[in-house]
């Protein structure tokens, strides 16, 4: 006899974490929230930003996956066997690809420091890059003092909302690198196989990230995500005292998100939705596209027809980078909160020269 599929209740499960957030990424709708802007110590959730900085550098051609970095003797003395590790030997050389695998899958503290020193020459140099990227992403409740999240007397802090923003940028800006390094249940590095501690893996359909974290200072945390039929949910929980509570409640929360809420697709990733005026650029306008699949999320069984409008502070100022969020798609649905979905620039718009400035000035005179 065929086993019946498990019944997932649409009633909100009990979540005892002091900090929590569940978002439907395609719509941006918050399905569950508890102190999502409260600052807390992230532990190894810090490593999401460490990988993001590396991904940015790789995409810019400033870092190669086959590039090798050395475990310096002083780094070995400080970090050998400290917390989670990929067991890098003294004076060993490791590729960026293996360092990223160790950082993402087995939460290697030693790998983070070797990567940081290799990229920036020092840990402070690398954390300055982490904080710069946080500012670019608008992470206002975040500061990094370490690339691995090891206890530093509270000098590193984040918020659930910022972690969700970072993780969505990680996935949407670097989809190929994300699939290459995230979602692995285990990794074998240096002949040693270690398991990923993500409690969603092997239990939650479509789970492919993101990162667990634990220190005595931080407790047990998780940034978790799963995708089903093109629909992605993103979850952040923090401050659990016991790993079993984190595991059971995070699985229940994300299942509730899929069962109790339904998504109505609006636009596929890359769909052209309009144009925005540009000032000071080689071009006077830029296309607006969906940076990922966009949808409207409603309680299961509810149907409604939304009205859509585009909003941006214009004219936009050049330079503009392809993929940069420059506008918002406002979705208004009767009886539901207004949703604001991101729209990205379809192409680069470099800053214009003298001719472009003269053109803009002349057109302004005639009201165009």
């Amino acid at each position: 006899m065929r086993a019946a599929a498990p019944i997932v209740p649409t009633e909100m499960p009990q979540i005892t974490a002091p900090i929590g957030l569940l978002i439907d990424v395609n719509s941006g709708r918050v399905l569950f929230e508890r102190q999502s802007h409260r600052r807390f110590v992230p532990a190894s959730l810090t490593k999401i930003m460490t990988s993001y900085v590396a991904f940015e550098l790789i995409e810019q051609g400033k870092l190669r996956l086959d590039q090798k970095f050395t475990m310096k003797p002083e780094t070995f003395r400080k970090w050998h066997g400290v917390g989670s590790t990929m067991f890098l030997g003294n004076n060993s050389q490791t590729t960026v690809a293996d360092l990223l695998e160790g950082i993402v899958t087995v939460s290697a503290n030693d790998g983070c420091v070797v990567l940081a020193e290799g990229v920036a020459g020092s840990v402070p140099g690398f954390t300055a890059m982490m904080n710069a990227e946080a500012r670019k992403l608008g992470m206002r409740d975040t500061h990094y003092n370490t690339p691995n999240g090891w206890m530093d007397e509270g000098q590193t802090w984040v918020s659930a909302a910022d972690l969700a923003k970072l993780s969505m940028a990680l996935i949407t800006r670097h989809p190929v690198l994300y699939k290459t390094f995230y979602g692995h249940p285990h990794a074998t590095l240096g002949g040693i196989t270690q398991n990923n501690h993500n409690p969603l893996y092997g239990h939650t359909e479509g789970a492919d990230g993101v990162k667990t974290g634990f220190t005595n200072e931080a407790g047990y945390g998780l940034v978790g995500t799963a995708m089903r039929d093109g629909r992605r949910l993103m979850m952040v929980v923090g401050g659990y005292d016991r790993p079993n509570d984190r595991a059971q409640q995070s699985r229940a929360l994300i299942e509730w998100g899929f069962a109790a809420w339904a998504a109505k697709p609006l636009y596929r990733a890359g769909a052209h939705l309009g144009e925005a005026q540009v000032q000071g650029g080689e071009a006077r306008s830029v296309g607006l596209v969906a940076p990922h699949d966009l949808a409207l999320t409603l309680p299961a069984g509810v149907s409604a027809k939304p009205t859509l409008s585009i909003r941006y502070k214009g004219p936009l100022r050049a330079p503009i980078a392809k993929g940069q969020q420059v506008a918002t798609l406002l979705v208004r649905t009767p009886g539901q909160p207004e949703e604001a979905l991101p729209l990205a620039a379809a192409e680069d718009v470099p800053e214009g020269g003298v001719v472009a400035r003269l053109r803009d000035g002349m057109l302004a005179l005639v009201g165009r």
Side-chain angles (χ1 to χ4, degrees), residues 229-307:
D229 298 323
R231 180 185 178 198
R232 182 177 292 280
L233 298 187
M234 178 74 66
M235 167 184 56
V236 183
V237 288
Y240 279 110
D241 293 327
R242 301 189 305 170
N244 286 344
D245 290 340
R246 176 184 66 180
Q248 295 168 7
Q249 293 183 19
S250 62
R251 294 168 192 161
L253 180 61
I254 209 160
E255 291 295 351
W256 170 80
F258 280 113
W261 300 84
K264 177 181 179 179
L266 295 174
Y267 298 102
R268 298 301 299 268
H272 187 278
L273 276 72
E275 301 278 332
Q277 289 185 323
V278 176
Q279 185 174 11
E282 290 185 359
R284 296 201 67 225
S285 65
V286 65
L288 302 176
V289 298
H292 52 75
D293 289 353
L294 300 180
L296 171 66
T297 301
L298 298 168
V302 172
S303 61
K305 186 175 181 179
T307 57

Side-chain angles (χ1 to χ4, degrees), residues 21 23 42 44-56 129-130 133-140 142 144 157-174 178 182 210-211 223 234 236:
L21 182 65
I23 298 174
S44 288
L45 302 181
T46 299
K47 292 162 185 166
I48 302 173
M49 178 58 89
T50 301
S51 69
Y52 181 82
V53 170
F55 287 3
E56 286 283 297
M129 298 171 72
M130 296 169 73
E133 292 298 337
R135 288 191 294 271
K136 289 180 187 176
L137 293 172
M139 298 168 62
R140 298 179 181 176
T142 291
Y144 295 105
W157 65 81
V158 297
S159 70
D162 281 357
L163 284 171
K165 184 178 293 186
L166 167 62
S167 298
M168 286 188 281
L170 184 80
I171 294 169
T172 56
R173 285 181 59 81
H174 306 290
Y178 181 80
Y182 278 85
V210 179
K211 189 75 188 67
V223 179
M234 178 74 66
V236 183

Side-chain angles (χ1 to χ4, degrees), residues 53-368:
V53 170
F55 287 3
E56 286 283 297
L57 294 172
I58 291 166
E59 295 287 358
Q60 294 165 17
K62 298 177 181 177
L63 184 66
R64 303 190 319 274
L65 289 174
D66 63 353
Q67 200 167 340
K68 291 185 177 181
F69 293 137
T70 302
M71 167 66 91
K72 301 174 184 177
E74 57 270 29
T75 304
F76 179 82
R77 287 193 295 270
K78 183 174 181 179
W79 289 103
H80 177 67
V82 177
S84 301
T85 177
M86 58 190 294
F87 303 103
L88 296 176
N90 191 15
N91 283 314
S92 61
Q93 289 196 322
T94 309
T95 64
V96 170
D98 281 349
L99 289 172
L100 285 170
E101 185 69 43
I103 291 165
V104 170
T105 304
V106 305
S107 201
N109 290 325
D110 52 353
C112 288
V113 179
V114 171
L115 179 70
E117 292 178 342
V119 167
S122 68
V123 165
F126 191 80
T127 56
M129 298 171 72
M130 296 169 73
N131 288 316
E133 292 298 337
R135 288 191 294 271
K136 289 180 187 176
L137 293 172
M139 298 168 62
R140 298 179 181 176
D141 294 301
T142 291
H143 179 265
Y144 295 105
N145 181 61
T146 166
N148 55 22
W150 192 249
M151 294 173 284
D152 63 355
E153 299 181 343
Q155 295 182 72
T156 296
W157 65 81
V158 297
S159 70
D162 281 357
L163 284 171
K165 184 178 293 186
L166 167 62
S167 298
M168 286 188 281
L170 184 80
I171 294 169
T172 56
R173 285 181 59 81
H174 306 290
V176 175
L177 287 169
Y178 181 80
K179 290 180 181 179
T180 300
F181 292 102
Y182 278 85
H184 303 171
H186 52 78
T188 301
L189 298 159
I192 301 171
T193 299
Q194 299 184 70
N195 292 327
N196 193 321
H197 294 298
N198 190 321
L200 302 183
Y201 293 171
H203 297 272
T204 302
E205 178 190 348
D208 63 354
V210 179
K211 189 75 188 67
T212 58
F214 168 74
T215 61
N216 290 329
E217 181 183 34
Y220 293 89
L222 170 68
V223 179
T225 185
M227 178 175 263
R228 298 177 188 173
D229 298 323
R231 180 185 178 198
R232 182 177 292 280
L233 298 187
M234 178 74 66
M235 167 184 56
V236 183
V237 288
Y240 279 110
D241 293 327
R242 301 189 305 170
N244 286 344
D245 290 340
R246 176 184 66 180
Q248 295 168 7
Q249 293 183 19
S250 62
R251 294 168 192 161
L253 180 61
I254 209 160
E255 291 295 351
W256 170 80
F258 280 113
W261 300 84
K264 177 181 179 179
L266 295 174
Y267 298 102
R268 298 301 299 268
H272 187 278
L273 276 72
E275 301 278 332
Q277 289 185 323
V278 176
Q279 185 174 11
E282 290 185 359
R284 296 201 67 225
S285 65
V286 65
L288 302 176
V289 298
H292 52 75
D293 289 353
L294 300 180
L296 171 66
T297 301
L298 298 168
V302 172
S303 61
K305 186 175 181 179
T307 57
L308 310 176
S309 60
I310 293 174
R311 178 180 295 172
Y312 66 94
K313 293 181 179 180
L316 305 176
R317 293 287 304 179
I320 298 169
K322 180 180 179 180
Q324 178 182 340
Q325 182 179 338
V326 292
T328 299
L329 179 68
L330 297 180
V331 183
R332 298 181 177 90
T333 308
Q336 301 295 322
E338 181 180 273
E339 301 291 344
L341 307 183
L343 295 179
E347 59 272 327
D348 292 330
V349 181
E351 189 172 4
V354 175
V355 173
R357 290 194 294 272
L358 288 172
R359 175 203 64 200
D360 289 347
M362 292 295 293
L363 292 172
L365 289 174
V366 297
R368 295 179 62 186

